[in-house]
Amino acid sequence: MGNFLDARTSQNISTSNATGIPVTTTPALFGTLGLNTTGAGPNLRVQFTATVGISSLATIAVPITISIFRGVGPDAVLVYRATELPIALGAVGALNRRIITVTGADYQPPNPGFLIYQAFVNTEGGVAVAPTRTGPESFNASAYSD
């Protein structure tokens, strides 16, 4: 068991409207957080969990990808990516909903004393049938070291 350093939560409430935000092939930011890693010993590690709720009035027939990056902008490093494949066909005209949760870790990242992580969601091509981000959306991370 390691020494706890810091934990943060990024809760996105912008998807609380009834129509949601369209999910496209362009990654969309849904969570940003920073962790204080000052005083970390060897074997620094960050554990994270991200959740996105996706809805559609038709079948959600495209893979949905969640990506976690360390840092921001063009120098950000992809540390985790998971794609959930389409679910079985749902009833046309009924609300089809997916809650996608991923859990991962960034083992031995560089330690500048403060690490920033960002979570993104997008579709992976296919025929998008109006999937939208309707929530919940949350991103949690904790930092530990030996």
Side-chain angles (χ1 to χ4, degrees):
M1 191 68 153
N3 295 315
F4 171 77
L5 298 171
D6 195 11
R8 301 289 175 204
T9 297
S10 177
Q11 187 71 37
N12 188 1
I13 59 172
S14 67
T15 58
S16 61
N17 65 48
T19 59
I21 300 169
V23 182
T24 68
T25 56
T26 301
L29 177 68
F30 72 89
T32 300
L33 52 80
L35 296 169
N36 183 351
T37 57
T38 302
N43 300 317
L44 174 62
R45 60 205 168 274
V46 174
Q47 297 171 308
F48 48 82
T49 301
T51 298
V52 178
I54 306 290
S55 300
S56 178
L57 287 176
T59 300
I60 303 171
V62 295
I64 302 293
T65 296
I66 294 177
S67 302
I68 309 297
F69 288 84
R70 181 184 343 105
V72 296
D75 294 332
V77 175
L78 177 67
V79 295
Y80 183 89
R81 177 172 283 154
T83 300
E84 182 173 284
L85 300 176
I87 58 174
L89 296 177
V92 175
L95 183 64
N96 292 283
R97 184 168 171 93
R98 290 162 67 182
I99 304 295
I100 303 167
T101 299
V102 299
T103 300
D106 187 13
Y107 187 69
Q108 294 186 329
N111 185 12
F114 191 78
L115 294 171
I116 297 174
Y117 289 86
Q118 292 189 312
F120 293 83
V121 62
N122 62 281
T123 62
E124 287 293 328
V127 179
V129 185
T132 57
R133 296 166 40 209
T134 52
E137 291 183 347
S138 62
F139 180 39
N140 308 291
S142 300
Y144 301 88
S145 73
D146 293 341

